[in-house]
Amino acid sequence: MIKPSIPKGTRDFGPVVVRKRQYIFQTIRETFELFGFQPLETPAMEQMDTLTGKYGEEGDKLIFKILDNGDILGRAQQAKDSRELGILLCEKALRYDLTIPFARFVVMNQNDLAFPFKRYQMQPVWRADRPQKGRYREFYQCDVDIVGSNSLLNEIELLMIYDSVFTKLGMEGYEIRINNRKILSALAEVAGKPELLTDITVAIDKLDKIGIEKVKEELSERGLNESEIAIIANFLNIEGNNEEKLQQLGELFKNSETGKKGIEELTYVLHSQPTAFKTTPILDVTLARGLNYYTGMIVEVKAPSTVKMGSIGGGGRYDDLTGLFGLPNLSGVGISFGVDRIYDVLEELQLFPATAQQGTRVLIFNMDANTTSTAFPMLASLRARGIAAELYHEPSKMDKQMKYANKRGIPYVIIMGESEVKEGVLSIKNMVSGLQEKIAVADLANYSFQ
C-alpha cells in the first residue's frame, strides 16, 4: 500500500483555513474593485523563453520546468550540458510570478486595452526552491498594477489601497514605509560612487539586522573610503517626522538633480492629499528593496511590532517592464500583498471574525424516516433567505448528531422529535449559548439565526 503524501513545499488547506484565506482574498478583491481595477488571470504555464532571463541567474534556477512529450531520449543525447538539456526537453514552465506574465499579456493585447490599464491578479505561483518554514514551492501572489501612466496620483491610490485593506482587516499598528529609487541613486552620486549603487544599497538594506558599524565595515569591503562612508552614515542618521526628513534630504542633495527629483516625488506622494490616508505613510530613507527593478517610489508594509513577521506587502514604480517583450517606455507602478504572512498575523492577533470561519449555519436533525418530507421544505426556505443549512445524512441518535454539529462548528440545530411533531413546533438550540426554545413551524420563516 502506498502511503499518501504531497510534494515538499506544498500544502493542503482544510475547510477552516480555506474560509479564513477566502476572507482575506475577498477583502482585498473588493477593495481592488472599489478602486476601479480589473481582474486578470494568466495560464499556470508559460513558454520557457517568456520566463528565462527575467529573474536573474538565481531566479532562473528556481523556475519549475515542464517536461515535453515526444522523443525525449533523442533530444537528450544532443545536449552538451545540463542547461542545454533543460532547453531541449522543456519548452514550458510553471508561472514563477505574476509580473512577467502580466507584462507579456499587456504586449500581446496592447491594441485592445484602454491605457492606463489597471489590473489585479490573485493566482498561485511556483518556485523550485528549497522548502523551509515560511517558504513554499507553491504559494499565492496578490498583485495590483497600473501601466501606461506616469502620474504620481497612481502611487497615492496604491498606498490608499494598502491603507483600506489593512483597516478593513482590523489590523492596527501596521506601517506603510516609502522611499524613492532616485534618493538612493543620488546618495551613490554624492558619495562619489554611482557605479556602486547596488553595493551601497545592499549594505544599507542590512542596517536593521547588523547595525551601523557593521554596515560601515561592509561598505569599506565593497570599495568605499572613509569620507565616502561618512556621507552614507550621515544619510543613515536622518530622522524625525516626514517633513523634517525631507528638509534634511534637501540639504544633502542640494547639488543633485536626481536627488531633487526624488524629493519632489516623495513630497507630492506624502503631502498633496493630506486626508487620503488613515495611517500616514512613513518616509524611510533606508528602504532599498528591488533596486534592480524599481525606478521611482519604493513601498513596503511592516506588520504590527507585536508580531514577529516583518514585511507583509511591497512594490514600487518601474519604467520599462514591457520593454522585455518589445513594447518600450511603458511606465507602471504596482504593489503586492503577502497573503500567507497576512494570514499568520491575523491568526496570531485573533483578528479573524467568526463569520470568516462559518459555513453551515443551521443543521436539521434527522430523527426518523419521516423527517425528510418535513425537512426539505424547511431547507429550501432557509436557503432562500441566504442561510446555509443542511440535513443530517441519516436518522441517528441525537448525541451523535450533536457531536457532528459541535465538530463542524454549526451554531444552530433544529430538532423535530416525537414531542415536537405532536405539538406542531420546532426546537431550535443555540450551540454556542446552549439556549433552546420552541417555535411554531410557521414562525421559522422569520426566525433570526444571529
Side-chain angles (χ1 to χ4, degrees), residues 164-200:
S164 180
V165 167
F166 290 119
T167 298
K168 289 178 182 177
L169 292 175
M171 192 184 298
E172 297 180 357
Y174 65 89
E175 293 180 347
I176 303 172
R177 295 182 170 268
I178 71 169
N179 197 9
N180 194 295
R181 161 69 184 261
K182 296 178 180 68
I183 295 296
L184 295 162
S185 296
L187 175 64
E189 291 174 9
V190 171
K193 285 289 192 293
E195 72 280 6
L196 294 182
L197 171 61
T198 300
D199 296 271
I200 292 169

Side-chain angles (χ1 to χ4, degrees), residues 139-159:
F139 57 95
Y140 263 78
Q141 287 192 340
C142 184
D143 291 6
V144 57
D145 288 80
I146 306 166
V147 294
S149 171
N150 294 307
S151 173
L152 293 175
L153 287 175
N154 298 322
E155 273 82 339
I156 295 173
E157 285 269 279
L158 293 177
L159 295 180

